[in-house]
Amino acid sequence: MKIINNSLFQLTVPTPFAVGDVHLYLLKGDSLTLIDAGVKTKKAFEAIQVQLKEIGYHPRDIEQIILTHHHPDHTGLVEAFPRAKEIMGNGLVDLWLRKDEQYFKRYEDFFKDYFRRCDIPPHFKGIGKKLRSLMHYAGEGNLTSFLDEGDRLPGHQNWQVINTKGHAQSHISFYNETEKLFIGGDHLMKNISSNPVIEAPVLEGEQRASPLLQYRDSLRRCESLEISHLLPGHGEIFTNVSEVVQARFDKQEKRAAHVFELLQSGKHTAFQLCQSIFPTRYETQIDLTLSEVVGQLDYLQARGMIRKSAEGEMDFYETATAGE
Ligand SMILES: [Zn+2]
C-alpha cells in the first residue's frame, strides 16, 4: 500500500496475467471509493483486505466502485464489497459485467469474419475461447450509473472524468485539476505499452473503431493536461508525462514506417504483415499482433499513405502510389 496523500491510497494486487500486479486506488471524500477492483482470485482479495486494514478499513467500508475499463484485471472483485451499492464506469463496461451472451456472441462472430478478411488461416480458432477463459477472472454485476467526459466523480468533486479510448473502447481516466493528479488505468504506463486492441463494434453492422487513432487522440488529451503525477494501473507512478507520451508516439510512428516499408515491395494482407513483423509471436498471440498491424494500417490509411482494396472475402493493402 502506498499513501499518495491523506485522501488517496494506492493498493497493489497480484494477477495471474503476464502484466503482473495491478494497482487499485482508494479515494477518501464524501464517499469511500475504490477505483478498479483487481482480478477475481482469492489471492487478490486477500491482498486488498490486508492493505485496507493498514489504513484502518475493511472491504465492507467501501461505498462505491468506479472502473477505468472492462478488462478482467480491473473488474474482478466488484462483487466482493457488500456495501458498495454504486458501481460506475463507461456504459460499455455494463455489457461485460452483465456477461451479456448476445454481445459476446456478436463479438465472436465479428472476429470470425474479420479474421477471414485479414487472411488468417482457419486453424487460428478466433478469439472465443480466450475471451471466455478470461471472463473467469472478471467481475459480475451491473453498473448503477454511467460516467462520461467531464462528469465529476460522485463524492469527489475535484475529480473529473476524461475519456481515454484506445486501449479499450470503455476506457476512462480521472483527473484532479487542483492537485494535478491523473489516475490513468491502462491508458498510459511508464514501461508497459498500452496495446490499443481491436474490439467488435457494439451494434451489429456497425464499423469497428480504429483503436490506435483513438489512442493517439487520448495521448494528446493527456499531454494537454497539467499532470504532476500519473497514477497508472500497472507499474510505477511517474511525473515525466510528456516524455512518456512522446516515447509512445515515436515508437508507434517507427512501427508504422516499418509497415509502410514492407508495403513498398507489393500488396499484402494483414496476416502476411503479421508474419513479417512478428515471425514467431503471431503463432501464439494472433489477436495482439493483428491489433498492432491493423493499428499501423489504420494510421497509414488515415494519412493517405496506403489504400485498402477488397478481393473476394479478403482485404489487401498497398501503398497509395502503387501502380502509378
Ligand atoms: Zn486493460
Side-chain angles (χ1 to χ4, degrees), residues 68-74 167-168 171 185-187 189 194-195 234:
T68 56
H69 64 298
H70 71 271
H71 291 164
D73 48 337
H74 298 260
H167 171 71
H171 205 293
D186 289 357
H187 171 52
M189 297 168 282
S194 283
N195 297 330
H234 305 275

